[in-house]
Every structure is written in structure tokens, then in C-alpha cells.
Amino acid sequence: MQLFHSARFLISVAELAGLPDAALPEIAFAGRSNAGKSTAINVLTQQKRLAFASKTPGRTQLLNFFELSERDDQGQTVARGYLVDLPGYGYAKAPESERSQWDTLVGGMREAFRAGHFE
């Protein structure tokens, strides 16, 4: 069973100022590097290569937004929400400055949520 008409890559965000409009619901996938976050997005959307899944930890380095949509009564595509693939933590082999930026980005998402930016 397909839950949505389509899912497509929308945008990668490196800073919180680049977040898309908060008018649509978002489901974010957070966890350790190589925990299967990207694979879960691919399974839920029934697409094999929508979110890039790698055997190498730390490949997801930005907030990756995927738009979910369905068709309305007139057959028009209507955006219904986002799936968000967050950078992993733990095993990524990256410079400390880069890992710190990921922590700031994901932590900033947490703070934006607490401030009411997301519903």
C-alpha cells in the first residue's frame, strides 16, 4: 500500500535559516550513523534511491528534506508533509569541526521545535 502519491527530494539545508516553510508536518529521522535512517525513508516511500544510503558512516551531513504529496479531487498534486533525514552521530569519521557543525544543526532543530517553529 502506498501512503502518498509521490515523494521527492526537496532541499538540503546546512543552516537553520534555510529551513523550508513550517506550514506542513515534518517527520525527522535522527540516530547514530549507519542506523538505517535513509533506508527507512526509502522503505516508507517505496523508492530504492530517494535517500542515499551508504555503508560509510557520516555520509548524511545536511538536513535533507523529502516532500510527500498526494493527488486532490481534481488530480492536482498537493504537498502534505516532509520526511527529514538528519545527520547521524557517533561513528562518522569526519573532522571534529564538521561533527560540531552537525551537532549545532541538529541541536538547532531541537531548539526551533521547542520555540514553536514546528508543530
Side-chain angles (χ1 to χ4, degrees), residues 27-84:
I27 300 172
F29 291 79
R32 291 176 103 34
S33 295
N34 272 25
K37 298 178 296 293
S38 298
T39 300
I41 288 172
N42 290 337
V43 169
L44 289 171
T45 60
Q46 297 180 349
Q47 296 186 38
K48 292 182 181 183
R49 304 282 295 166
L50 179 63
F52 184 72
S54 172
K55 292 182 181 181
T56 305
R59 290 292 176 139
T60 302
Q61 299 182 2
L62 304 170
L63 302 179
N64 295 309
F65 284 76
F66 302 93
E67 182 183 83
L68 302 172
S69 63
E70 62 184 3
R71 296 218 185 257
D72 65 11
D73 294 338
Q74 290 77 39
Q76 300 296 314
T77 301
V78 179
R80 297 296 187 197
Y82 303 116
L83 297 180
V84 186

Side-chain angles (χ1 to χ4, degrees), residues 13-19 61-64 86-87 99-112:
V13 176
E15 296 182 4
L16 295 176
L19 291 174
Q61 299 182 2
L62 304 170
L63 302 179
N64 295 309
L86 301 177
R99 291 173 58 163
S100 177
Q101 181 183 0
W102 301 340
D103 290 343
T104 300
L105 188 58
V106 174
M109 288 277 293
R110 218 176 2 249
E111 293 306 315

